[in-house]
Amino acid sequence: KELVNLKNLKLLRLGSNKIGDEGVNALAEHLRHLHSLTHLELHDNVIGDRGAEALARELVKLRDLEELCLGTNRIGDEGVRALGLSLRSLQSLIRLELNDNEIKNIAVLVDGCLSSKDSLAHLYLEGTQFSNALNPSPSVPVATWPCHSAYARRATANRGMSAHTLNYLLVKAWV
């Protein structure tokens, strides 16, 4: 309830508190009142798909959010899919941390969280173990897939991250 009174709050750091899905669900209900929030750090909190879905429902109200840190959680493909729908509306988001989560399907990440994200300049995917089930040919590197190259050119133009850099990050996350 106290969060409601912090209408001018810019930075909320709740990392390493192990709040889990239930805790992030309770937090999400209060996020709608934090219109000034620019940085939300929820790394290392045992957040899974249900928590990511609860968070996603409220993220659309945080129009000024620049950084979303969800690294070292248990977010999988369903959570990323839900987040992706919300993140599309956040035009100010420049940093997204999804490192060390349980995302398996790289297409869910690219099509969900990364599509139409012209503002994104920093993407963290270290420790994410993508399955190679989507790779149309194991001998074809991820960086050469048409969807990634096209996305990288569109989403990173004049935003501080070249298409080459994004492709490098995707390949590093894959390996």
Side-chain angles (χ1 to χ4, degrees):
K1 290 185 176 184
E2 301 306 319
L3 284 176
V4 174
N5 298 325
L6 301 174
K7 293 184 189 318
N8 294 320
L9 188 68
K10 299 271 187 204
L11 170 68
L12 181 57
R13 287 185 175 161
L14 293 173
S16 303
N17 281 298
K18 310 292 186 219
I19 62 174
D21 289 340
E22 195 170 306
V24 81
N25 191 36
L27 171 66
E29 293 176 17
H30 298 286
L31 286 178
R32 70 183 70 150
H33 303 290
L34 303 178
H35 302 290
S36 299
L37 197 65
T38 59
H39 297 73
L40 180 57
E41 297 183 15
L42 295 171
H43 60 83
D44 194 21
N45 269 310
V46 200
I47 299 169
D49 288 339
R50 286 184 327 127
E53 290 165 359
L55 185 61
R57 286 190 293 275
E58 300 303 326
L59 281 178
V60 295
K61 297 172 181 97
L62 301 178
R63 299 285 182 198
D64 295 330
L65 193 66
E66 296 174 3
E67 295 189 14
L68 179 59
C69 304
L70 293 170
T72 316
N73 279 294
R74 296 181 179 165
I75 301 170
D77 294 341
E78 292 306 312
V80 167
R81 186 172 287 116
L83 286 168
L85 296 173
S86 293
L87 296 181
R88 289 178 187 169
S89 67
L90 299 179
Q91 297 305 312
S92 59
L93 190 70
I94 58 173
R95 178 182 178 123
L96 177 60
E97 294 184 13
L98 289 170
N99 54 293
D100 297 304
N101 272 288
E102 298 177 3
I103 307 162
K104 300 295 182 205
N105 186 335
I106 196 167
V108 169
L109 176 69
V110 172
D111 295 338
C113 288
L114 304 181
S115 65
S116 304
K117 280 310 309 149
D118 291 339
S119 61
L120 195 63
H122 305 279
L123 173 64
Y124 295 85
L125 298 173
E126 306 93 347
T128 303
Q129 303 295 317
F130 297 111
S131 69
N132 67 353
L134 284 180
N135 193 340
S137 169
S139 63
V140 178
V142 176
T144 63
W145 294 2
C147 63
H148 300 130
S149 298
Y151 165 73
R153 281 192 301 274
R154 184 177 71 248
T156 61
N158 302 319
R159 299 293 180 186
M161 185 190 324
S162 68
H164 177 343
T165 302
L166 180 60
N167 282 331
Y168 172 78
L169 288 171
L170 290 171
V171 170
K172 289 300 283 183
W174 184 274
V175 175

